[in-house]
């Protein structure tokens, strides 16, 4: 019996050696030590607020309609797509310190109400966060007082980020708007 088990164990070992050296395209990923990426430390929870300026009007719009909504849905914006390179500032005033940009797009994704899909990167430009990003992908029922959207990832200091934002509209004029993004980010 012991002999048989030993025999089987050797067989399994041999098989695994053979399969790990065979280049069949199936073993493209391997497990590595978390320590190699500094992931031994506990995750940190960061909180900050930035103000997102969606400027559609004026001579220098940062939010541009690249696809108007389907005519039938002109009140809910269903089918409309906006590409943005919006300023993110430290205070609610558009003239306050620029912290970064919100780059990406949003689109009308609901037929019967205003329900946007937001897909954007916050690219930070200041201090140690310069160049780091977080990615927000979520549903924005823009007429609600508070909208929660997930943070699905990040780069740089925000590698492995996850979390959520709470968006609150602070100011609107026609289609232009300033929205407070209160961000809660878990990262290493
Ligand atoms: C920003 O500054 C400009 C010029 O100083 C001024 O005209 C404008 O009203 C200011 N905007 C806001 C939102 O404070
Ligand atoms: C941020 O990084 C860019 C590119 O590396 C650099 O040109 C810029 O001066 C940096 N800004 C600040 C505020 O550190």
């Amino acid at each position: 019996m012991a002999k048989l088990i030993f025999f089987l164990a050797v067989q399994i070992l041999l098989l695994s050696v053979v399969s790990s050296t065979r280049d069949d395209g199936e073993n493209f990923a391997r497990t590595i030590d978390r320590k190699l990426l500094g992931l031994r430390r506990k995750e940190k929870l960061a909180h900050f607020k930035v103000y997102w300026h969606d400027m559609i009007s004026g001579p220098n719009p940062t939010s541009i309609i690249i696809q108007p909504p389907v005519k039938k849905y002109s009140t809910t914006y269903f089918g409309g797509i906006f590409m943005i390179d919006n300023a993110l500032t430290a205070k609610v005033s558009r003239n306050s310190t620029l912290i970064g940009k919100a780059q990406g797009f949003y689109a009308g994704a609901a037929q019967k109400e205003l329900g946007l899909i937001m897909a954007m990167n916050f690219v930070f430009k200041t201090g140690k966060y310069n160049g780091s990003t977080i990615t927000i992908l979520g549903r924005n029922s823009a007429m609600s007082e508070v909208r929660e959207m997930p943070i699905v990832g990040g780069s740089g200091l925000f590698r492995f980020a996850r979390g959520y934002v709470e968006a609150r509209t602070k100011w609107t004029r026609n289609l232009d708007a300033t929205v407070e993004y209160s961000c809660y980010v878990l990262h290493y």
Side-chain angles (χ1 to χ4, degrees):
M1 190 62 186
K3 244 182 167 174
L4 182 63
I5 290 170
F6 178 70
F7 178 70
L8 283 174
V10 167
Q11 288 295 307
I12 288 165
L13 201 70
L14 278 175
L15 260 176
S16 66
V17 166
V18 168
S19 62
S20 67
T21 51
R22 205 171 56 198
D23 182 19
D24 56 5
E26 280 183 26
N27 300 302
F28 58 87
R30 67 195 170 93
T31 304
I32 63 169
D33 193 333
R34 293 166 70 90
K35 277 182 279 185
L36 287 173
L37 295 182
L39 300 185
R40 234 178 343 168
R41 284 172 290 153
K42 272 188 79 176
E43 279 177 296
K44 296 186 281 269
L45 177 62
H47 176 242
F48 51 86
K49 284 179 181 175
V50 288
Y51 294 86
W52 180 93
H53 303 277
D54 200 41
M55 293 301 139
I56 296 171
S57 68
N60 297 307
T62 58
S63 180
I64 290 163
I65 301 173
I66 54 170
Q67 172 68 50
V70 177
K71 209 165 187 176
K72 181 175 163 192
Y73 300 111
S74 55
T75 53
T76 60
Y77 283 88
F78 183 67
I81 306 174
F82 293 70
M83 202 81 211
I84 60 167
D85 187 12
N86 285 345
L88 294 171
T89 61
K91 297 270 164 60
V92 73
S93 164
R94 234 186 309 157
N95 290 343
S96 62
T97 310
L98 184 74
I99 297 214
K101 293 294 207 64
Q103 299 173 336
F105 63 85
Y106 60 84
Q111 291 177 310
K112 298 203 166 132
E113 71 218 308
L114 183 61
L116 305 171
I117 175 169
M118 311 292 290
M120 58 183 173
N121 298 312
F122 282 7
V123 191
F124 298 96
K125 307 267 187 198
T126 52
K128 65 174 182 171
Y129 293 106
N130 189 10
S132 295
T133 67
I134 56 172
T135 300
I136 292 162
L137 177 65
R139 180 172 193 275
N140 184 0
S141 53
M143 289 304 165
S144 305
E145 187 164 330
V146 186
R147 292 89 71 184
E148 180 181 326
M149 290 169 262
I151 294 168
V152 297
S155 70
L157 285 183
F158 289 124
R159 262 184 207 165
F160 292 103
R162 58 205 167 94
Y164 68 98
V165 299
E166 287 176 355
R168 292 176 176 84
T169 301
K170 293 291 166 185
W171 174 88
T172 56
R173 192 182 57 207
N174 302 327
L175 283 179
D176 296 344
T178 294
V179 179
E180 177 189 274
Y181 274 78
S182 184
C183 308
Y184 295 86
V185 194
L186 276 174
H187 67 101
Y188 285 95

